[in-house]
Amino acid sequence: MMRAVVSLMMIFLLSTGLESQAQCSICTKTAQQLGEKPAKALNGGIIYLAATPLAILGILGFRWYKANRDMF
């Protein structure tokens, strides 16, 4: 059962597009005023800043899962 859940999560994560829109409304207005190239750089920076805490949470979740494997 757990293997199926993990497999479905991996398929979902891998099927999402690499180029996503990660801007709030204020950042979008600022990016529109900057132009095309700086807007892409701003979007990449936002995604980079969001990926770091998500990676930390993923590592903590994996360590928790390994420590409590017998519960599943």
Side-chain angles (χ1 to χ4, degrees):
M1 175 66 181
M2 190 63 166
R3 185 173 271 182
V5 171
V6 171
S7 297
L8 286 174
M9 288 176 60
M10 290 301 293
I11 289 170
F12 174 73
L13 290 174
L14 292 174
S15 66
T16 58
L18 292 177
E19 192 165 331
S20 61
Q21 300 297 326
Q23 295 177 351
C24 65
S25 61
I26 297 171
C27 295
T28 303
K29 285 188 177 219
T30 303
Q32 286 174 349
Q33 293 172 356
L34 293 175
E36 180 73 26
K37 224 172 188 183
K40 284 190 176 200
L42 179 64
N43 197 24
I46 292 169
I47 291 173
Y48 175 73
L49 289 173
T52 306
L54 290 175
I56 292 170
L57 286 174
I59 291 169
L60 289 174
F62 179 71
R63 290 186 63 159
W64 175 81
Y65 169 74
K66 279 183 70 174
N68 298 312
R69 196 181 308 196
D70 57 331
M71 289 176 52
F72 297 105

